[in-house]
Amino acid sequence: MTDQAPMSVTQPVFVLDPARTALIVVDMQNDFVREGAPLEVPDARATVPQQLQLLDFWRRRGLPVIFTKFIAGPRPTLMWKWSPVLGPPTRCCWPGVRRFYADAQEELECTDVIHELRPLPGEAIIEKYAYDAFFNTNLPDRLRALDVDGVVITGTVTQICVDETARGAFTHGFKAMTVSDAVSSYAPDLHAATLKNLEMKFGRVASTAEVLQEMGAAATVRSPVSREED
């Protein structure tokens, strides 16, 4: 028998500080998102409105926004065993490769972030050769230099690069919030299982509306009401 009260199931394991939280948009690039892309994730296009809402919130407040891009080639890696289209002749996600996408009706650089979410000048773009945006990149140091201790994660694919990036954040000591309706997968069962597992041991999971409500409410509490001097 113990006299310690059980933790409420509704109590979050951590609360994000808006002033110290970055938004990370994972791999929303042409070769994953556009119609007819070699590694197309059709559901990724449905998350664009939610990601725009989050981007608008962060940008209006001058908070850090970071995009990641998966890069492949020219040399084979173990990853090619599971995704042969990374190699020739398709060369998925190779810098400098342009291809035609049905929904855009034009030829585009295959590694670029989709134009709907185009990064603004000054917003960082992290190029990675692995699933995890924290692995062998300067992302951890960049976040610490910005005095960031928490990240909100959107993008694709839920059970691959999003999952690995959320785990990477945890491993490097950052509080990670994965946005359930702003991440996407081609496998609904793996999408659901991944979010459940992330919430169980690696961070928090919340909807776009819940993230905006929490961040907005916290920012209001932290920001004093400005008054003109008499």
Side-chain angles (χ1 to χ4, degrees):
M1 186 174 179
T2 176
D3 57 0
Q4 183 177 2
M7 180 181 293
S8 169
V9 294
T10 60
Q11 180 180 342
V13 294
F14 59 75
V15 176
L16 293 173
D17 178 352
R20 303 187 66 196
T21 300
L23 178 66
I24 300 180
V25 181
V26 175
D27 297 2
M28 289 293 289
Q29 57 205 86
N30 291 321
D31 258 1
F32 294 133
V33 181
R34 300 259 72 106
E35 186 177 341
L39 288 175
E40 182 184 1
V41 185
D43 285 356
R45 294 190 288 275
T47 67
V48 169
Q50 293 90 300
Q51 295 192 59
L52 286 173
Q53 290 181 57
L54 293 162
L55 283 167
D56 181 67
F57 181 95
W58 258 256
R59 287 166 171 169
R60 284 178 179 272
R61 289 157 179 79
L63 302 174
V65 174
I66 296 173
F67 291 82
T68 77
K69 295 200 306 186
F70 173 72
I71 302 296
R75 296 181 180 274
T77 66
L78 184 60
M79 202 177 298
W80 291 24
K81 301 291 185 183
W82 287 271
S83 300
V85 293
L86 296 177
T90 305
R91 297 182 298 165
C92 179
C93 296
W94 282 36
V97 172
R98 299 177 66 86
R99 68 179 94 252
F100 182 87
Y101 302 93
D103 57 335
Q105 283 296 298
E106 62 178 319
E107 192 178 80
L108 300 170
E109 163 73 38
C110 73
T111 64
D112 278 355
V113 175
I114 60 171
H115 62 78
E116 295 92 331
L117 303 176
R118 183 179 292 113
L120 298 181
E123 293 178 343
I125 301 175
I126 302 293
E127 294 188 349
K128 61 189 181 70
Y129 284 80
Y131 302 133
D132 177 6
F134 287 84
F135 180 72
N136 281 346
T137 74
N138 69 358
L139 180 56
D141 291 332
R142 183 181 290 271
L143 292 175
R144 292 190 179 101
L146 293 169
D147 194 31
V148 164
D149 71 353
V151 294
V152 169
I153 300 172
T154 73
T156 201
V157 174
T158 307
Q159 74 273 12
I160 307 174
C161 293
V162 169
D163 179 48
E164 285 285 286
T165 297
R167 289 169 181 256
F170 171 83
T171 299
H172 284 83
F174 296 97
K175 297 175 287 189
M177 175 96 80
T178 303
V179 189
S180 58
D181 57 350
V183 295
S184 56
S185 172
Y186 49 81
D189 57 336
L190 295 178
H191 171 85
T194 298
L195 293 179
K196 184 175 182 180
N197 194 53
L198 286 175
E199 189 165 38
M200 184 180 297
K201 289 294 182 181
F202 298 99
R204 291 181 59 195
V205 174
S207 68
T208 298
E210 290 168 337
V211 171
L212 294 176
Q213 181 179 20
E214 180 174 320
M215 292 282 286
T220 300
V221 170
R222 289 176 56 85
S223 302
V225 177
S226 60
R227 292 181 297 180
E228 296 181 357
E229 296 292 331
D230 294 333

